[in-house]
Amino acid sequence: MADHDHDHDHDRTVKPMVDEVTDFEVLEIALRELCIEKGIFTAEEHRRFTEFAEQIGPTPAARLVARSWLDPEFRALAIAEPMTASKEVGVDWLEPTGFGTPSDFTAFEILVDTPTVHHVIVCALCSCYPRPILGNSPEWYRTPNYRRRLVRYPRQVLSEFGLYLGEDIEIRVQDSNQKHRFMVMPMRPENTDGWTEDQLTEIVTRDCLIGVALPRAGVTTNVVVATRPAVHPVGE
Amino acid sequence: MSTAADRAAQLDLVARLRSSYPELPDAPPPDLLDHDRFTAYMKPVHDVGGEPDVPMKYENKEYEYWEHMTYVMCEVLAWRGIWLSEERRRIGNVDVGRAVYLGFPYYGRWLLAVARVLLEKHHIGLTELAERMAEVQRRFAGGLSGRTLTAKPAFEGDGTQVKRNSHVVHALGKGDPQVYAGRAGEPKFAVGDPVRVRELPVLFYTRTPEYARGATGRIAALAYESPAPEDETWDRPGAEPEWFYVVSFTMAELWHGYNGTATDTLRTEIPERWLEPVD
């Protein structure tokens, strides 16, 4: 079993060790060992998927948007054949199993914002999210709170992310409750004339791709950046 | 047929359900359990959309190693044909009941689903799981003390006799839902058609959200062909694919007392069996 190597940079923080071994850790180890001993899967298969899961993140999606802003042909491709466009930014939705990541399916659609329509995604049933091109979802996206409220009070929830949209803009909530996975293509912001694809990619944050933020020149971080450390036992 | 106000009232009712309604005795006699409360108890607990809640602070938390390993194990089990991800969703997000659903961490439920599916499909026994957990607890007694949390399987088993599903064979090189393309026949609805979401009785599982049931919307797109979740979640042999539609709802009609604008909309995907035409 390969050890978890953490000299590389994640967009999330992985905590490899805690002081007290928790019930969840015990159960995970026990189940993994039994699966390998019974030949349900091999240690090599587990290692391969782990490596795959550690290299996914929102950068390809940001690049896809930036390229679409610069190249009308690519933009048309991204709308018509989003999985073909994904390949051009390095994401093959059939990887790593040959039929996709099982929980995410291979049905992808890009929701294109216009001056009068703003999209925002949620999965009110669990946390369906375009992992292959956005990486794992943020913790808040999975909370019952976000899932309960976004489908009913989208303007209030967006305001809690600092996003206030006028009455001339239709908010279109996409509840991705089945097999389709969605991401938002926001509009190119002002004050970015002459920018390169790399420069534009930097301002397309994960939150912009979910639809809880809009890209702005000079802003390269997500709205929610506070990270609560995991401490076991609680209160130490 | 329900109104938007009826649907909001039902969501308010569900929100007050903890392990049981305090106004009723435990295990009430049947004459005390009305239809709305029966529906609330039977509601698949993952379906939280629209349930009342107040703002909270959204924050990140450190992603623990076991959470990452649990995600990977679930995906590898699906990759190797032990379950469909739709089975995982039901077992981990619904079959756990309301108390564990709201009381457990997100990946804690994924992990319980692994134990549950391996037991139910006879891949492991509960006694050997308990013994292995006790052994792991002994191994790490006193904490990690600088050691790495590592799985140490005693050997690599021969997996040739392990029962696996056929999905992983059929979907290979095609993807899912593409593996079902061309099998659902003519779609019943076209883009632009007004449709009403049926109010079918719900037991155990559905992915048609409660907040949309009884509401009227419009077909925004034909999505794909696939078995409906009600069949796929049990990997039911012979389940026939059907058309799925993206249905658009006007928020002001969907929600009683919606306080956004008249043009705000919501879209969600609904399988054909759940839709009926509006005259």
Side-chain angles (χ1 to χ4, degrees), chain A residues 52-72:
Chain A
F52 172 84
E54 286 183 353
Q55 55 81 40
I56 54 175
T59 308
R63 186 162 295 282
L64 186 151
V65 169
R67 194 169 297 173
S68 297
W69 286 343
L70 292 170
D71 179 351

Side-chain angles (χ1 to χ4, degrees), chain A residues 101-176:
Chain A
T101 51
S103 289
D104 304 307
F105 303 101
T106 49
F108 180 44
E109 191 183 335
I110 297 171
L111 307 170
V112 182
D113 282 355
T114 71
T116 55
V117 178
H118 175 79
H119 294 88
V120 57
I121 63 170
V122 62
C123 172
L125 294 181
C126 39
S127 62
C128 297
Y129 190 75
R131 277 193 203 84
I133 199 161
L134 273 189
N136 221 333
S137 56
E139 184 77 11
W140 54 259
Y141 182 86
R142 306 173 197 149
T143 59
N145 188 283
Y146 178 79
R147 294 159 43 211
R148 283 176 179 137
R149 296 170 63 232
L150 189 81
V151 296
R152 186 170 178 178
Y153 310 104
R155 288 181 183 266
Q156 286 90 325
V157 174
L158 291 180
S159 76
E160 290 158 29
F161 286 89
L163 183 57
Y164 301 87
L165 297 169
E167 295 197 351
D168 52 332
I169 297 176
E170 169 194 337
I171 293 186
R172 192 177 290 174
V173 174
Q174 180 68 57
D175 185 355
S176 57

Side-chain angles (χ1 to χ4, degrees), chain A residues 52 55-61 64 82-95 108 130-135:
Chain A
F52 172 84
Q55 55 81 40
I56 54 175
T59 308
L64 186 151
M83 288 191 289
T84 308
S86 299
K87 263 190 190 168
E88 297 203 13
V89 293
V91 172
D92 183 345
W93 281 75
L94 284 177
E95 288 294 318
F108 180 44
R131 277 193 203 84
I133 199 161
L134 273 189

Side-chain angles (χ1 to χ4, degrees), chain B residues 121-213:
Chain B
K121 296 197 176 186
H122 301 172
H123 293 293
I124 64 173
L126 187 53
T127 302
E128 67 179 333
L129 176 59
E131 292 289 357
R132 182 58 60 96
M133 289 175 70
E135 188 197 317
V136 175
Q137 277 170 341
R138 280 195 299 276
R139 221 186 290 165
F140 291 103
L144 283 167
S145 316
R147 286 175 294 171
T148 310
L149 194 66
T150 310
K152 289 203 164 62
F155 53 89
E156 287 235 353
D158 168 17
T160 54
Q161 300 307 309
V162 173
K163 188 164 182 255
R164 302 180 195 277
N165 64 33
S166 57
H167 182 75
V168 294
V169 179
H170 297 147
L172 199 64
K174 297 188 182 124
D176 179 351
Q178 289 80 352
V179 64
Y180 303 110
R183 290 178 46 193
E186 282 298 306
K188 192 170 163 188
F189 303 105
V191 170
D193 286 356
V195 287
R196 186 180 299 114
V197 183
R198 295 177 66 198
E199 292 181 271
L200 288 168
V202 170
L203 291 177
F204 308 130
Y205 198 70
T206 184
R207 296 190 74 81
T208 298
E210 186 180 72
Y211 68 73
R213 301 206 289 264

